[in-house]
Structure formats: C-alpha cells, structure tokens
Amino acid sequence: VRHKRMPEAVKALAQSATLRPDNPHYSYVYAVALHTIGRSHEAIKVLKKAHARHPNDREVLFALVVFNRDMGNRDVAGQYAEKLVALSPQDPAARGLLNQLKQQ
C-alpha cells in the first residue's frame, strides 16, 4: 500500500484476512483497501463476515456504518450505528454517526 501497488496490496490483505479470521483487524484493513479502490460492495461483504465472527468489534462496526452510509444505504447504516452505540454508549463519534443518520 505504501508503495502504491494496490493490486498486490489487496491480494496480500485478502490473504491475511483469510488466514487469520480470528483477528478482525485484518478484515477491517482489507475492507478499507477494497473500499479505497472502489470495490465497496466487496468491502461490505468482508465486513459483514467479520462482524458475524466478532459482533463486538468497534472498528468493524464503525466501517459498516460509514461504508453503508457512503453508498446510500442509510437504513442499514443506522442499524449498525445503533449496535455501535449500544456497544459504546459513551463514544461521541458513535453517537454522532447515529444522530447524523437519524436526521437525514
């Protein structure tokens, strides 16, 4: 990624996420890379799988909120935002995302 060789980077990140499904951060980073290169639908699929395995991972939930919001899936983003706020009720960023989605 740092050397701007995205096809190679995405392949390596996919491999990391596949080999270490116990570590949600690898799936998160892979999904961010996919989203960055315009493959947002695939990114959301990766995040959904990670969320199914790690339902309390804030990083994965946050990305699910933002990516769905950015794609115009406000209802879905709102559902994930509610889960994020339930998980971290004192987090102002989570609460802000939820409030933003409710206002639109």
Side-chain angles (χ1 to χ4, degrees), residues 57-59 61-62 65 81-99:
D57 188 89
R58 294 179 67 252
E59 192 173 52
L61 271 171
F62 198 89
V65 173
E82 288 175 5
K83 289 181 181 183
L84 185 60
V85 169
L87 186 63
S88 302
Q90 303 303 322
D91 181 355
R95 175 95 32 214
L97 272 174
L98 180 59
N99 289 340

Side-chain angles (χ1 to χ4, degrees), residues 38-88:
R39 293 167 54 187
S40 298
H41 289 285
E42 290 176 66
I44 288 174
K45 286 180 185 178
V46 168
L47 290 169
K48 283 181 177 180
K49 286 181 184 178
H51 178 61
R53 287 188 302 269
H54 308 280
N56 296 324
D57 188 89
R58 294 179 67 252
E59 192 173 52
V60 168
L61 271 171
F62 198 89
L64 280 165
V65 173
V66 172
F67 292 1
N68 276 289
R69 179 201 64 195
D70 291 352
M71 291 180 62
N73 303 326
R74 297 220 179 264
D75 290 340
V76 175
Q79 292 169 7
Y80 286 119
E82 288 175 5
K83 289 181 181 183
L84 185 60
V85 169
L87 186 63
S88 302

Side-chain angles (χ1 to χ4, degrees), residues 1-22:
V1 172
R2 291 181 185 147
H3 296 285
K4 307 295 184 210
R5 298 188 332 237
M6 288 306 286
E8 293 172 56
V10 169
K11 185 177 177 181
L13 292 169
Q15 188 174 26
S16 296
T18 300
L19 292 173
R20 291 293 309 273
D22 58 310

Side-chain angles (χ1 to χ4, degrees), residues 16-36:
S16 296
T18 300
L19 292 173
R20 291 293 309 273
D22 58 310
N23 187 332
H25 183 71
Y26 291 136
S27 295
Y28 166 79
V29 173
Y30 175 42
V32 169
L34 288 170
H35 184 69
T36 300

